[in-house]
Amino acid sequence: FLAASNQDIKLSEPVSAEGVIAETRPSEPRADEAMKSEVAFYTKAIATAYNCIGLLKVERQDFRGAAAQFSLAAKWNPQHQDIHYNLGLAHYKAGSYKEALPALEEELKVNPGNLAARQLLGLSYFITNEYSKAALQLADVVAAKPDQAALYFPLALSLIKESKLEEANRVIQRMVTVNGNSPQLHILLSQAHYERGDSKSALEELGTALALDKNVRLAHFYSGVVYLKMGKLDEAARQFESELALNPGDLQAKYHLGFTLLARQDIERGIQTMREVIRAQPDNADAQYELGKALLQQSKVKDAVENLEAAAKLQPEKPHFRYQLGRAYLAAGRAADGEAQLEMARRLKEKERSKPNQ
């Protein structure tokens, strides 16, 4: 088995186990219950094989390959022990946080007491900016494991992003008790100031975080976000570049750098940066949109249409996506399609305006 498992098995979709049995064994009369038992045996055996191959790929640090194998195992036998957790963990390790969510949610339906799965789910929600869901999951983990100091930061920041400042303050106080005066503490304080509109105090706290640890993650990123809001594009770009120097795989920082470069009319660098984001994260609708808009500005109409269509498909309810796609269609000589998109953009905009508190 070990020698065979080094090769990729190509059964991409479950086939009928009854068909497998019929093709591989002589036909003979049997009772329905015997057939069902044999089908179950083969189904479980195939799922086990895929799971084992996935575990071998994990040992080689091939997390994307492992996720593919665990996914096949789950299709063959969704009740296979730990398969949803294995799949979620592999996606998380591969940096595919959105893909990790359904597997980890399924694991918690089966094993609600699995704190490791709940922690990964909370962190995946946090990374994908679903702060309300992140706070719910991480709060449960911290309550059960109060010594997990690393979880106080994403929990407190999620609460800040949800404007639950009193709850966030209680978490920060516990964080001080556990961690003392840490760079992460000052990053949290900076975000509390930022949410209140105090950019000056936010930058001061981020400066303190960097003074404590020049390599701390997110301090440069959040500094860039503050400068971007202030309209200081050169300073923002420098901060995003500094974050990427520390964390080259940070797609959030890379997207913001690309956005800033385009905003200051450094078009070629901005386009290149957005393309790098999309290569790593093709479902990033905002990156697809910004790239398409920049390409349209450069009169590269065919490529612009491709990216703007991708953006509108990913997030069809955004009126500005539809508006730019309509402009691209018109530039491509597709008048009817262009007018249809512009009309849709107008309807979506009216819908937005009609909502309460808009």
Side-chain angles (χ1 to χ4, degrees), residues 35-318:
M35 172 64 82
K36 289 179 183 178
S37 176
E38 195 155 0
V39 168
F41 171 80
Y42 278 94
T43 297
K44 291 177 181 178
I46 293 169
T48 299
Y50 278 125
N51 186 62
C52 289
I53 296 169
L55 293 172
L56 288 172
K57 288 184 178 290
V58 167
E59 289 181 5
R60 299 174 190 161
Q61 304 294 298
D62 178 10
F63 297 114
R64 291 189 186 279
Q69 299 299 321
F70 292 140
S71 179
L72 292 171
K75 287 179 181 177
W76 278 94
N77 181 17
Q79 285 76 44
H80 192 285
Q81 185 176 5
D82 295 328
I83 193 58
H84 298 294
Y85 177 72
N86 289 349
L87 177 57
L89 178 59
H91 278 311
Y92 184 91
K93 290 285 190 179
S96 302
Y97 304 109
K98 287 184 180 179
E99 288 81 355
L101 295 173
L104 294 168
E105 288 166 351
E106 191 63 31
E107 170 65 20
L108 288 173
K109 289 178 186 177
V110 179
N111 298 307
N114 187 338
L115 284 178
R118 194 171 298 280
Q119 179 173 322
L120 286 177
L121 180 60
L123 292 173
S124 296
Y125 280 136
F126 175 74
I127 293 168
T128 55
N129 301 325
E130 295 192 53
Y131 296 115
S132 177
K133 293 179 179 180
L136 286 173
Q137 300 298 330
L138 294 174
D140 286 347
V141 179
V142 167
K145 300 164 70 175
D147 59 333
Q148 293 291 306
L151 296 181
Y152 286 103
F153 176 82
L155 173 56
L157 187 52
S158 295
L159 292 168
I160 290 170
K161 294 292 185 182
E162 288 295 300
S163 299
K164 297 179 178 179
L165 299 184
E166 289 187 10
E167 291 179 52
N169 187 52
R170 289 195 289 271
V171 175
I172 290 171
Q173 288 175 356
R174 294 204 301 271
M175 182 177 173
V176 171
T177 301
V178 174
N179 268 2
N181 185 31
S182 66
Q184 289 76 17
L185 170 63
H186 292 281
I187 292 174
L188 286 172
L189 294 174
S190 79
Q191 293 306 287
H193 288 304
Y194 180 74
E195 291 296 317
R196 288 195 290 262
D198 186 352
S199 297
K200 181 176 181 291
S201 296
L203 289 171
E204 288 174 353
E205 291 293 349
L206 291 165
T208 301
L210 287 165
L212 290 170
D213 181 0
K214 65 180 181 180
N215 295 321
V216 66
R217 296 192 65 173
L218 294 176
H220 286 296
F221 171 75
Y222 285 125
S223 297
V225 171
V226 176
Y227 282 125
L228 186 59
K229 184 177 182 181
M230 295 169 68
K232 296 183 177 181
L233 300 181
D234 291 341
E235 290 90 338
R238 281 194 289 271
Q239 292 296 329
F240 295 134
E241 287 167 343
S242 295
E243 186 70 33
L244 286 167
L246 294 172
N247 309 296
D250 189 334
L251 294 177
Q252 185 175 223
K254 186 165 286 190
Y255 167 79
H256 278 76
L257 175 59
F259 180 91
T260 305
L261 293 170
L262 292 172
R264 74 176 191 184
Q265 296 302 301
D266 191 348
I267 302 298
E268 290 303 323
R269 281 189 65 206
I271 286 174
Q272 179 184 344
T273 303
M274 283 299 179
R275 280 181 169 149
E276 291 173 3
V277 174
I278 290 168
R279 273 197 294 272
Q281 197 175 48
D283 63 346
N284 188 322
D286 290 322
Q288 295 278 10
Y289 169 76
E290 293 296 339
L291 178 56
K293 187 170 68 168
L295 290 169
L296 187 59
Q297 182 181 336
Q298 296 288 90
S299 298
K300 297 177 180 177
V301 177
K302 182 180 178 182
D303 290 341
V305 166
E306 182 179 332
N307 291 111
L308 291 167
E309 283 180 338
K313 183 177 180 180
L314 288 163
Q315 294 189 6
E317 297 300 312
K318 286 199 171 182

Side-chain angles (χ1 to χ4, degrees), residues 18 21 28-40:
E18 291 186 30
I21 295 168
E28 59 184 41
R30 65 188 67 188
D32 287 345
E33 288 303 315
M35 172 64 82
K36 289 179 183 178
S37 176
E38 195 155 0
V39 168

